[in-house]
């Protein structure tokens, strides 16, 4: 030991104030004799113990967070208010390896004042749903509120053990921008407030979106320090991203759809419609916003259809139907009438409809009226699509060998399905439950097929699917997937309804000639599936059955 080190050690021994040193984990590594005089604890007996073991349980959190005033347990088990401003020492990698400071007992008057201030501070921290922090250049965080463990999973000690901790845990994609803002604050020439939003990697590995409200404090003669409040805004950020994605999807769907889109504020009677809505009724040059929504709609509806249209949407607003869909004759700007389908759904607040939104379709362009209950195409449109598929397949087959045709994109399949136990649902739970079951079945069917495929309602509880660009094996597998999806129980109001389906499958490999041939064959296969509880039945080109 050098003479200088020996002298320093002797001086520490002579100091009337208690000198305390701990390692990064709060284990006491040095005490001078004044420790025993102040606390009554022996120096040898205290070395190797955690300093936190001597602190009042209610004050350990504040000491760990950087608060210098706390209650210390004396040898006689009494607690006295102390002040210990610990200064960290770091290694070459800027990691905290020890803390040292002077322990001083505060006076009774100071004790009362500090206790009141401390209690107000703690109550304030408890009301803040975020992490209060302070940081200093070259030191890192000099203070952190205990909420850091609840929000991010790290203890105050873990966070403060390394001055680089924050930078090491900011999401890599956000780090460059965050560091640039942080460096600017550390090198600022005047005080100012600023704000940051970034992602932080929590101890669990979860990504937490943080909004950091900060202020840099510039005092002459000392390093810059920052104070701030970190708030978890993950839920808010997720909502913002979902809304943005929803807006993008809505805009894309509006551009790609051949239907007119409308949104009606029932409280203000303001109706917003898309450009396509106006095109359907011949009003291309009209503004998209209508201040008197119902008045605008009334002018479009043929007088003979007024009552039917009003009945449809009023039943929905009364709660009788989950949505509404009605066909009516609209007055085109050219003077002619066009058949359209108007459908939508209302938003309710406290049982009152405040908004409605939906679409307007030109039924002539659809080629067939849609089913009003399920919003699926009806039998005529399905016939048209199937007839086209048959003609295309036969045309290619006449120009190629059978081996080439088998794998060609013109292959298709027809799936005819009938719900099981549907009559029992109607008889026991009522037709309104049966109607909602059909609507849910329609949505599941649509989710089970590709955009190129077609789902239609044939009537009653029968649905039909046209699968395009698929061979018999692929159609059979898709039919089994549909059967599995439809077998999952449906939640309708308070009822859990189970109603699977029997599915008949016929592929273009059967080589049938007409739409009626395919429908009859699919019907026969479906009958086989239902009568023998097969679930899925496939009729091959030789009249055989595959399950």
């Amino acid at each position: 030991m050098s003479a200088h080190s020996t002298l320093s050690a002797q001086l520490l021994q002579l100091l009337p104030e208690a000198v305390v040193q701990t390692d990064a984990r709060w284990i006491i590594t040095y005490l001078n004799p004044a420790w025993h005089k102040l606390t009554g604890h022996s120096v040898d007996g205290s070395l190797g113990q955690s300093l936190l073991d001597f602190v009042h349980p209610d004050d350990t959190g504040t000491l760990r967070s950087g608060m210098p005033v706390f209650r210390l347990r004396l040898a006689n088990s009494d607690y006295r208010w102390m002040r210990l401003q610990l200064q960290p020492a770091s290694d070459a990698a800027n990691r905290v390896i020890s803390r040292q400071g002077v322990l001083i007992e505060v006076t009774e008057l100071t004790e009362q004042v500090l206790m009141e201030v401390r209690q107000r501070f703690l109550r304030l921290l408890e009301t803040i749903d975020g992490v209060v922090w302070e940081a200093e250049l070259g030191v890192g965080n000099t203070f952190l509120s205990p909420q850091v463990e609840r929000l991010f999973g790290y203890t105050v000690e873990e966070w403060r053990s390394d001055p680089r901790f924050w930078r090491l845990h900011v999401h890599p994609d956000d780090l460059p921008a965050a560091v640039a803002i942080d460096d600017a604050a550390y090198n600022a020439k005047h005080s100012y407030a600023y704000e940051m939003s970034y992602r932080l990697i929590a101890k669990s590995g979860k990504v937490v979106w943080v909004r950091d409200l900060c202020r840099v404090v510039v005092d002459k003669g000392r390093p810059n320090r920052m104070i701030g409040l970190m708030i978890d805004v993950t839920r808010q950020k997720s909502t913002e991203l979902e809304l943005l994605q929803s807006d993008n999807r809505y805009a894309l769907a509006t551009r790609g759809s051949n239907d007119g889109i409308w949104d009606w504020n029932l409280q203000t009677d303001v109706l917003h419609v898309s450009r396509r809505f106006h095109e359907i009724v011949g009003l291309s040059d009209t503004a998209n916003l209508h201040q008197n929504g119902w008045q605008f709609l009334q002018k479009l509806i043929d007088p003979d259809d007024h009552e039917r249209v009003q009945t449809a949407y009023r039943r929905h607003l009364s709660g009788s139907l989950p949505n509404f869909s009605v066909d009516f004759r609209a007055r085109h700007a050219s003077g002619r009438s066009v058949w359209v389908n108007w459908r939508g759904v209302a938003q309710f607040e406290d049982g009152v409809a405040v908004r409605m939104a939906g679409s307007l379709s030109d039924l002539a362009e659809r080629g067939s009226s849609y089913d009003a209950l399920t919003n699926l195409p009806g039998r005529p449109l399905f016939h048209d699509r199937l007839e086209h598929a048959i003609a295309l397949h036969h045309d290619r087959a006449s120009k190629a060998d059978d081996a080439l045709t088998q794998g060609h994109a013109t292959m298709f399949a027809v799936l005819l399905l009938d719900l099981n136990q549907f009559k029992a649902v109607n008889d026991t739970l009522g037709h309104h439950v049966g109607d909602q079951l059909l609507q849910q079945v329609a949505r599941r069917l649509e989710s089970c097929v590709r955009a190129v495929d077609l789902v239609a309602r044939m009537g009653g509880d029968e649905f039909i699917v046209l699968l395009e660009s698929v061979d018999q094996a692929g159609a059979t597998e898709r039919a089994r997937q549909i059967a599995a999806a439809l077998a999952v129980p449906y939640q309708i109001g308070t009822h859990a309804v189970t109603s699977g389906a029997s599915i008949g499958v016929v592929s273009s490999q059967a080589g049938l000639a007409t739409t009626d041939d395919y429908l009859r064959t699919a019907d026969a296969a479906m009958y086989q599936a239902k009568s023998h509880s097969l679930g899925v039945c496939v009729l091959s080109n030789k009249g055989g059955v595959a399950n």
Side-chain angles (χ1 to χ4, degrees):
M1 179 181 293
S2 67
H4 177 75
S5 300
T6 302
L7 180 60
S8 297
Q10 291 174 348
L11 289 174
L12 289 175
Q13 294 289 316
L14 295 174
L15 280 177
E17 293 87 7
V19 177
V20 179
Q21 179 175 287
T22 75
D23 63 13
R25 298 180 177 274
W26 298 93
I27 302 301
I28 299 174
T29 56
Y30 175 82
L31 295 168
N32 69 347
W35 165 265
H36 173 68
K37 183 177 179 181
L38 180 61
T39 68
H41 298 293
S42 69
V43 171
D44 292 340
S46 301
L47 290 172
Q49 294 192 53
S50 172
L51 177 62
L52 300 178
D53 290 342
F54 295 90
V55 177
H56 192 286
D58 292 344
D59 298 339
T60 56
T62 55
L63 177 62
R64 288 162 56 194
S65 302
M67 284 286 289
V69 179
F70 57 92
R71 286 165 291 181
L72 187 90
R73 176 174 53 82
L74 305 182
N76 63 4
S77 298
D78 288 341
Y79 284 94
R80 299 297 299 271
W81 282 96
M82 303 285 179
R83 178 181 177 83
L84 178 60
Q85 183 71 60
L86 290 169
Q87 299 297 325
S90 305
D91 60 12
N94 287 324
R95 291 173 297 191
V96 174
I97 56 175
S98 65
R99 303 179 181 88
Q100 48 276 327
V102 176
L103 184 70
I104 302 173
E105 182 179 348
V106 297
T107 63
E108 292 184 1
L109 179 60
T110 304
E111 172 183 331
Q112 180 179 353
V113 173
L114 288 175
M115 185 173 181
E116 291 175 356
V117 172
R118 176 182 172 278
Q119 292 299 328
R120 286 198 299 270
F121 177 73
L122 291 176
R123 285 195 296 268
L124 175 62
L125 286 185
E126 290 173 358
T127 65
I128 298 174
D129 189 20
V131 178
V132 178
W133 59 270
E134 181 183 59
E136 190 171 295
L137 181 62
V139 178
N141 284 100
T142 55
F143 173 79
L144 278 171
S145 62
Q147 285 94 325
V148 69
E149 187 165 0
R150 178 176 62 81
L151 292 183
F152 307 117
Y154 302 107
T155 64
V156 173
E157 290 90 343
E158 287 175 313
W159 193 292
R160 296 184 63 201
S161 65
D162 187 346
R164 303 168 302 164
F165 190 91
W166 176 77
R167 296 191 177 197
L168 291 174
H169 292 82
V170 173
H171 193 284
D173 291 347
D174 300 333
L175 185 60
V179 168
I181 296 173
D182 202 40
D183 287 343
Y186 276 129
N187 294 287
K189 301 302 182 183
H190 59 86
S191 301
Y192 63 88
Y194 61 99
E195 181 177 327
M196 291 194 290
S197 290
Y198 54 86
R199 287 163 290 183
L200 195 76
I201 309 299
K203 191 170 185 178
S204 65
K206 177 184 176 183
V207 175
V208 181
W209 271 101
V210 174
R211 184 183 179 199
D212 216 342
L213 308 175
C214 320
R215 182 172 182 82
V216 57
V217 179
V218 179
D219 292 328
K220 187 176 181 180
R222 63 170 294 177
N224 286 1
R225 62 190 176 95
M226 278 89 75
I227 56 176
L229 171 66
M230 290 191 291
I231 305 171
D232 180 354
V233 293
T234 304
R235 181 178 297 180
Q236 174 186 334
K237 201 71 177 180
S238 297
T239 301
E240 290 174 359
L241 291 174
E242 288 174 5
L243 286 173
L244 177 61
Q245 293 171 357
S246 177
D247 288 344
N248 290 339
R249 287 195 298 268
Y250 172 79
L252 182 61
T254 301
R255 292 196 302 270
S257 173
N258 201 36
D259 291 347
I261 307 301
W262 57 273
D263 188 322
W264 189 6
N265 186 325
L266 299 178
Q267 295 179 312
T268 62
D269 197 27
V270 174
L271 176 69
H272 185 277
V273 302
S274 68
R275 182 175 63 180
R276 176 58 185 154
F277 185 107
H278 281 150
E279 288 176 353
I280 292 174
V281 293
L283 299 173
S284 302
D285 297 330
T286 306
N288 291 348
L289 200 64
H290 301 277
Q291 297 295 336
N292 301 300
W294 178 235
Q295 184 178 353
F296 168 75
L297 291 171
Q298 277 187 313
K299 292 178 180 178
L300 293 180
I301 304 169
D302 188 286
D304 292 339
D305 295 337
H306 269 177
E307 184 176 351
R308 184 158 50 81
V309 173
Q310 287 184 297
T311 300
Y313 83 80
R314 282 176 178 170
R315 286 187 66 198
H316 172 53
L317 295 183
S318 69
S320 300
L321 294 174
N323 50 37
F324 73 92
S325 177
V326 59
D327 297 346
F328 67 88
R329 287 161 294 182
R331 292 174 169 177
H332 195 273
S334 64
R336 62 186 176 89
S337 292
V338 292
W339 273 98
V340 298
N341 173 260
W342 186 45
R343 62 187 181 277
V345 65
Q347 175 186 338
F348 293 86
E349 293 181 4
D350 299 325
V352 177
V354 296
R355 178 185 176 191
M356 295 175 74
S359 62
L360 184 78
S361 305
D362 186 336
L363 294 180
E365 292 186 359
R366 281 187 174 183
S368 172
S369 178
Y370 274 35
D371 172 57
L373 178 64
T374 62
N375 283 338
L376 290 178
R379 183 187 293 263
L381 179 55
F382 188 90
H383 268 269
D384 291 343
R385 280 281 297 270
L386 178 56
E387 186 174 5
H388 177 74
I390 295 170
L392 184 62
H393 181 67
H394 285 177
D395 180 64
R396 291 295 177 90
S398 66
K399 298 176 182 178
D401 295 335
D402 288 344
L404 294 175
T405 306
Q406 293 300 316
H408 203 278
T410 61
M411 296 183 68
F412 64 90
V414 175
L415 279 56
L416 183 65
L417 62 95
D418 182 84
L419 298 184
N420 301 329
Q421 308 299 324
F422 181 75
K423 184 176 184 301
V425 172
N426 274 338
D427 291 344
T428 58
L429 301 178
H431 289 279
H432 65 289
V433 174
D435 286 348
Q436 292 181 59
L437 173 59
L438 292 174
Q439 291 168 339
Q440 292 195 29
V441 168
R443 301 293 80 78
R444 288 194 191 181
L445 283 172
E446 288 177 323
S447 68
C448 289
V449 300
R450 304 159 299 174
V452 70
D453 303 324
L454 178 67
V455 178
R457 184 185 179 201
M458 299 299 282
D461 60 332
E462 281 191 354
F463 295 84
I464 195 161
V465 179
L466 175 62
L467 301 177
E468 298 200 22
S469 301
V470 66
D471 60 13
Q472 182 169 296
T476 303
E477 179 58 26
R478 183 57 58 91
R480 289 179 178 142
Q481 292 173 2
I482 290 174
L486 298 184
V488 177
Y490 302 81
Q491 190 63 42
I492 301 176
T494 59
H495 305 291
V497 178
T498 301
S499 178
S502 299
I503 305 177
V505 181
V506 59
S507 168
S508 56
Q509 290 174 242
L512 302 176
T514 67
T515 56
D516 288 338
D517 291 338
Y518 277 95
L519 294 177
R520 278 195 299 267
T521 305
D523 186 72
M526 185 269 289
Y527 180 79
Q528 290 267 15
K530 182 173 283 289
S531 59
H532 294 90
S533 300
L534 299 177
V536 175
C537 178
V538 185
L539 287 186
S540 68
N541 57 340
K542 297 179 181 179
V545 176
N547 303 320

